[in-house]
């Protein structure tokens, strides 16, 4: 590429939240940083666009941002000074069941427990100690594996978190609403709910609902990227768009390379600079199911049967624990469930700026087998219609992307996998390869900073932050030698 002859301390390839977090951590350490992005817009999974009709601003990927506001790194950045406003819906999450009822995950543990009736006390016992220690717990969970600062707290969380979500739901709760609620939050793991550790994702997301809420960004998630880029610029960091890197040989002169990429792209770009054994390990990295994504422009709010759903930023559509578990298991068998588990967000209930007056948008996806090209529009809309009769008549326009189109939009979503690789017990802490420092590669100049490193998917920037720390250690060693 023609990027000047100047020398950068570090070049970051990819401008997702992890790439930008890495660049910021490096720039704060007074390093000269350049971020190169293949797309024409910075932000990776944070991009927003008018996908349906003029005036309707949709989030192309991430929408709901509990991990952003809870992130031990991103939460320390002055992003509000760069235009970011996070908006909290009245209720973080509702999970409707047939018959017009819904389980509600409220900001308050007490109100959530109260709404769960006979399971309320059990919910309180499960969540109260986790929420009380949320900050140190999140600090331990959102990073590479290391000896925990508070082993007892982690052990107490771990006893519940290691369980399959189906087991935790059935031993803790007796009634359908609480069981379904736990199933829905756990299904964000994109694991079969019968698998160990699937409960961990549900517990962390429920904990965050109580601790920090499940906000959306005013104006769309692109505003998070814009604020990160603005702050990076104020630190002297540089960015370029529409630069697709095919090989590290194309990069301008620099010290460290940080790749906001998953193993599938790291191999062609940097493979020749990595030893055989490491290349083989990257090649055996496992990707999980993909997603089918849909965005709607709507004439009115969604006519939910259950009142609580109207005030919820996120709504989980899939019915009971057994139904959600069966839909997720089907995806892992390579099938497209007729009644998929759908994660739906309705940001315009708190952010009218994202649609013309009185009109609305909604965002949803369901899991599908990796590499799927099947159109799930009908199945997803039937799930919405099941809990919001008349929904179909409110649709002004829709935009859809199947799993392969998700990958075409962003090559990090291999086969539509939005977590940058399977997040099961075997690959959660060992991503992309089991190493003491998973961000470093055997080449002392090359680092991986994407969600294919711990702690995995989500807009928390912690993969980037830890990769930058690793690169800074190496840069200071090189400076010492130089
Ligand atoms: C449909 C969907 C819904 C989601 N919902 C949420 C949510 O609600 N909340 C949440 O926290 N997370 C959500 N996520 C997950 C979140 O978006 C990702 O985990 C996160 O964006 C990963 O960040 P990253 O920096 O690792 O990579 P990415 O955000 O994927 O960024 C990688 C960047 O690298 C660029 N790139 C790739 N190859 C090259 C190349 N060769 N040269 C130059 N640039 C390149 C890409 O264009 C991209 O911009 C969702 C994701 C999707 C797809």
């Amino acid at each position: 590429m023609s990027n000047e002859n100047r020398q950068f301390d570090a070049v970051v390839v990819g401008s997702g939240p992890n790439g930008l977090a890495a660049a910021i951590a490096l720039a704060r350490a007074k390093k000269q940083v350049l971020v190169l992005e293949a797309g024409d817009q910075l932000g990776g999974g944070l991009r927003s666009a008018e996908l349906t009709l003029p005036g309707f601003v949709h989030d192309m990927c991430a929408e709901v941002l509990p991990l952003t506001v809870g992130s031990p790194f991103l939460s320390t950045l002055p992003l509000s000074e760069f235009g970011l406003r996070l908006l909290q819906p009245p209720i973080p999450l509702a999970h409707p069941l047939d018959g017009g009822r819904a389980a509600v995950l409220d900001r308050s543990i007490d109100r959530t427990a109260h709404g769960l009736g006979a399971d309320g006390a059990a919910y309180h016992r499960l969540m109260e100690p986790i929420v009380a220690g949320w900050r140190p717990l999140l600090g331990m969970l959102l990073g590479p594996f290391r000896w925990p600062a508070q082993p007892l707290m982690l052990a107490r969380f771990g006893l519940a978190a290691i369980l399959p979500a189906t087991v935790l739901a059935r031993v803790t709760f007796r009634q359908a609403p609480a069981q379904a609620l736990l199933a829905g939050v756990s299904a964000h793991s994109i694991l079969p709910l019968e698998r160990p550790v699937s409960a961990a994702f549900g517990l962390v997301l429920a904990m965050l609902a109580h601790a920090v809420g499940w906000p959306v960004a005013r104006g769309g998630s692109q505003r998070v990227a814009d604020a990160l880029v603005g702050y990076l610029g104020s630190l002297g960091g540089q960015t370029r768009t529409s630069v697709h890197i095919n090989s590290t040989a194309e990069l301008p002169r620099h010290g460290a390379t940080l790749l906001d990429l998953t193993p599938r792209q790291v191999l062609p770009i940097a493979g020749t600079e990595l030893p055989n054994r490491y290349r083989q390990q990257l090649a055996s990295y496992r990707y999980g199911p993909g997603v089918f994504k849909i965005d709607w422009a709507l004439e009115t709010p969604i006519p939910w049967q259950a009142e609580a759903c109207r005030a919820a930023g996120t709504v989980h559509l899939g019915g009971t624990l057994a139904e959600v578990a069966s839909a997720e298991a089907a995806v892992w068998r390579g099938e497209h469930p007729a009644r998929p588990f759908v994660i739906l967000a309705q940001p315009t209930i708190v952010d009218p700026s994202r649609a013309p007056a009185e009109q609305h948008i909604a965002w949803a996806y369901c899991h599908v087998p990796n590499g799927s090209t099947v159109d799930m529009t009908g199945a997803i809309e039937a799930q919405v219609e099941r809990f919001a009769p008349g929904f179909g008549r409110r649709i002004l326009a829709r935009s859809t992307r199947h799993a392969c189109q998700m990958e075409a939009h962003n090559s990090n979503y291999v086969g539509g996998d939005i977590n940058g690789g399977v997040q099961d017990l075997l690959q959660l802490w060992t991503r992309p390869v089991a190493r003491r420092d998973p961000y470093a590669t055997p080449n002392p100049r090359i680092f991986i900073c994407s969600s294919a490193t711990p702690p995995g998917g989500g807009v928390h920037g912690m993969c980037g932050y830890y990769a930058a720390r690793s690169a800074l250690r190496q840069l200071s060693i090189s400076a010492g030698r130089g």
Side-chain angles (χ1 to χ4, degrees), residues 70-199:
S71 163
F73 181 59
L74 297 186
S75 65
T76 65
L77 308 182
L79 300 182
S80 61
E81 290 170 26
F82 293 88
L84 178 62
R85 258 187 76 200
L86 292 171
L87 303 173
Q88 296 281 1
I91 295 173
L93 168 71
H95 187 127
L97 294 165
D98 291 325
R101 328 172 268 165
V104 170
L105 179 59
D106 192 279
R107 285 298 302 271
S108 140
I109 302 181
D110 285 345
R111 280 198 299 272
T112 306
H114 182 74
L116 294 175
D119 281 324
Y123 184 83
H124 216 287
R125 275 195 304 278
L126 176 68
M127 291 311 298
E128 207 280 327
I130 295 175
V131 176
W134 77 269
R135 209 182 280 277
L137 196 54
L138 204 62
M140 290 185 271
L141 295 173
L142 290 188
F145 186 77
R146 61 224 135 127
W147 185 246
Q150 306 204 26
L152 277 181
M153 181 189 288
L154 190 64
R156 196 160 51 182
F157 169 80
L159 283 177
I162 192 108
L163 293 174
T166 45
V167 172
L168 182 64
R170 288 189 177 115
V171 298
T172 312
F173 304 125
R174 282 173 293 149
Q175 298 192 336
Q179 292 185 345
L181 191 68
L182 185 61
V185 282
S186 301
H188 285 252
S189 63
I190 323 187
L191 292 173
L193 299 188
E194 294 79 11
R195 285 251 186 107
V197 105
S198 53

Side-chain angles (χ1 to χ4, degrees), residues 336-348:
H336 294 79
R339 281 185 148 191
F341 170 65
V342 177
I343 299 172
L344 181 148
Q346 37 187 15
T348 35

Side-chain angles (χ1 to χ4, degrees), residues 39 82 101 232 234 266 325 415 426 451:
F82 293 88
R101 328 172 268 165
L232 175 63
S234 76
V266 169
L426 283 176
S451 60

Side-chain angles (χ1 to χ4, degrees), residues 13-19 36-39 43-45 47 60-65 67 243-245 260-261 269 291 293 363 365 406 410-413 418 450-451 457-459:
V13 179
S15 69
N18 285 312
L36 299 172
E37 166 57 47
R47 287 173 274 196
M60 295 160 102
C61 306
E63 173 87 71
V64 187
L65 303 171
L67 289 164
V243 183
H244 189 280
I245 297 302
D260 186 11
L261 307 172
I269 291 174
V291 302
K293 166 90 174 350
W363 159 113
Y365 66 86
M406 291 303 304
N410 178 347
S411 59
N412 275 25
Y413 303 141
I418 66 173
S450 72
S451 60
V459 180

Side-chain angles (χ1 to χ4, degrees), residues 298-449:
L298 300 171
E299 203 178 341
T300 68
I302 300 177
W304 298 110
Q305 232 173 3
E307 190 66 34
C309 296
R310 301 179 184 202
T314 303
V315 184
H316 283 166
L317 306 170
T320 61
L321 163 69
E323 280 182 89
V324 176
S326 143
E328 294 301 286
V331 170
W332 276 82
R333 287 194 305 270
E335 298 164 15
H336 294 79
R339 281 185 148 191
F341 170 65
V342 177
I343 299 172
L344 181 148
Q346 37 187 15
T348 35
I349 65 165
V350 279
D351 184 5
S353 78
R354 291 180 60 182
E358 313 297 325
Q359 298 184 319
H360 285 263
I361 55 167
W363 159 113
Y365 66 86
C366 72
H367 302 140
V368 290
N370 190 283
S372 162
T373 55
V374 171
D375 184 350
M376 296 294 282
T377 305
I380 289 179
E381 291 186 354
Q383 286 289 56
V384 188
E385 196 74 33
R386 172 179 170 193
F387 300 106
F391 167 71
R393 291 196 299 277
R394 320 294 166 107
I395 300 172
L396 297 170
R398 67 170 71 73
S399 155
T400 63
R401 278 204 172 121
H402 59 58
C404 285
Q405 290 166 331
M406 291 303 304
E407 180 174 347
H409 164 68
N410 178 347
S411 59
N412 275 25
Y413 303 141
V414 175
D417 178 343
I418 66 173
N419 276 337
V422 174
Q423 303 194 140
D424 61 7
L425 211 43
L426 283 176
Q427 203 170 250
L428 195 55
W429 306 106
T430 61
R431 53 207 293 121
V433 163
R435 287 169 67 83
R436 202 165 60 82
D437 178 353
Y439 311 95
T441 70
N443 182 325
R445 291 185 59 211
I446 298 179
F447 301 82
I448 301 178
C449 68

